[in-house]
Amino acid sequence: MIPRILIVSDVSDARAKGLAARLDRRGAVVATVPLAAIAFETGSPSGLSIPGFDGALPDAVLVRSIAAGSFEAVTRRLGVLHAFAKLSIPVWNSAQAIERCVDKSMTTFILKNAGLPTPPTFAVEGRAMAEAIAERELPFTPLVLKPLFGAQGRGIRLIETLSDLPAEDEVNGVYYLQHYVPRPGPPFRDFRVFVCAGEVLAMMSRRGDDWITNVNRGAVPELVSGQVSLHGETELATLARAAAAAIGADFAGVDIVPSADGTLFVLEVNSMPAWSGLQSVVAVNIADAIADALLKFLADRTEAAAARPYRLTAPANS
């Protein structure tokens, strides 16, 4: 059977195009559709209307990106992903995993409850509560303020005094505050580890003059010496695999920072990760690896279904 794959993304996204090309080369039928274009339609057999599928459903959904929108629009789009799961269609990554990653407070909660090392973190509403936390914590450590919903280092600031706390309207009333992890620098370094289907595909360090070491802010990607594969792994790889599993992500970019004494802390798990910086320093083709992993998952699923014994239903007692 030829697998039909729906890639959820803006059709102009270069990484979505790369994934589509690789899946196509492997014999899949691929359509790339923005999530905003998929409609709930109760008159259709599935309850969904997907452009390019003529009323049919895909065999799998691969989520590359979800466009920004109003609270109502994003809620509806995530509802579409939940609907695919309800229809027993595999979604990489699931709506639940995306929701857990988009909300940094939930990411941190899950990491901590999985026993993974992550900096002490507080997520509160209102400046009064944020000031109370800052007054208690700042004598011992600076705090990092991050947007609850945000990516690529945008909106992050260091809080060293109460006056550094922004007004409520600058953070939509929500303050996500995390202990700053002290480390040598400049240059500063952290790590991005890419996990797919439970395995580490690649990893890099990011070196920058700024303590916020995102590549889009000028940090330089560098290959991590002792690159690992499968389970002959370093502590970095072990932490990243565990973090992705705790979130329930089929593929993820896991951000890990080393403290001055070498202790590793998991900062974030990205369920819709970019990989252009990582790809520039590693040999493995990340798009190829994602395509192979998804198709293997579908093949294994089909094989398992075919091997499942049929059960005859006994007639009900009258």
Side-chain angles (χ1 to χ4, degrees):
M1 184 182 74
I2 298 175
R4 296 163 299 175
I5 310 296
L6 169 64
I7 296 178
V8 169
S9 177
D10 183 330
V11 293
S12 65
D13 180 76
R15 283 173 289 275
K17 289 180 178 178
L19 286 167
R22 284 159 175 81
L23 287 163
D24 180 73
R25 284 184 213 137
R26 289 157 172 77
V29 174
V30 187
T32 302
V33 179
L35 197 50
I38 301 172
F40 284 104
E41 187 175 311
T42 57
S44 71
S46 67
L48 295 173
S49 175
I50 310 168
F53 277 80
D54 298 322
L57 287 170
D59 296 303
V61 178
L62 183 60
V63 183
R64 173 54 229 142
S65 63
I66 301 175
S70 67
F71 178 78
E72 291 84 356
V74 172
T75 299
R76 192 205 68 85
R77 293 169 194 171
L78 288 169
V80 170
L81 297 183
H82 280 295
F84 281 125
K86 182 70 175 177
L87 295 167
S88 298
I89 296 169
V91 181
W92 283 29
N93 284 306
S94 69
Q96 184 181 58
I98 292 169
E99 289 163 349
R100 288 172 169 178
C101 291
V102 167
D103 176 356
K104 290 185 178 65
S105 61
M106 180 53 70
T107 304
T108 307
F109 173 81
I110 290 172
L111 293 174
K112 179 64 176 177
N113 277 269
L116 296 172
T118 193
T121 303
F122 315 86
V124 298
E125 294 186 31
R127 186 182 172 92
M129 292 185 71
E131 286 182 352
I133 289 166
E135 286 176 343
R136 187 178 73 231
E137 303 296 325
L138 285 178
F140 309 102
T141 178
L143 297 170
V144 178
L145 175 75
K146 300 179 184 180
L148 196 64
F149 306 145
Q152 298 184 332
R154 291 187 290 266
I156 296 177
R157 62 180 82 181
L158 192 64
I159 307 299
E160 297 181 285
T161 67
L162 284 179
S163 62
D164 292 331
L165 285 171
E168 289 190 23
D169 59 0
E170 294 183 56
V171 291
N172 295 318
V174 176
Y175 294 81
Y176 175 95
L177 296 162
Q178 190 169 69
H179 278 201
Y180 174 74
V181 178
R183 59 196 194 275
F188 297 93
R189 283 183 171 82
D190 70 357
F191 301 100
R192 164 61 65 90
V193 184
F194 203 101
V195 179
C196 181
E199 305 296 351
V200 172
L201 293 184
M203 61 177 69
M204 67 174 174
S205 66
R206 297 178 292 197
R207 174 178 53 82
D209 293 332
D210 189 356
W211 64 274
I212 305 173
T213 48
N214 292 79
V215 172
N216 72 310
R217 292 174 63 102
V220 177
E222 297 178 334
L223 183 67
V224 175
S225 60
Q227 184 79 41
V228 302
S229 61
L230 298 180
H231 301 302
E233 60 188 19
T234 63
E235 184 184 1
L236 269 177
T238 300
L239 282 177
R241 288 200 310 114
I247 294 296
D250 298 292
F251 64 97
V254 182
D255 292 339
I256 299 175
V257 62
S259 67
D261 66 3
T263 303
L264 298 177
F265 292 93
V266 183
L267 293 184
E268 294 185 21
V269 181
N270 301 274
S271 61
M272 293 178 284
W275 59 77
S276 55
L278 178 60
Q279 188 64 82
S280 70
V281 297
V282 299
V284 63
N285 187 292
I286 295 168
D288 276 338
I290 295 172
D292 286 339
L294 178 58
L295 293 177
K296 182 181 185 302
F297 171 85
L298 288 177
D300 291 347
R301 190 171 186 251
T302 300
E303 183 179 342
R308 194 175 299 130
Y310 290 100
R311 291 185 179 180
L312 295 177
T313 303
N317 294 328
S318 56

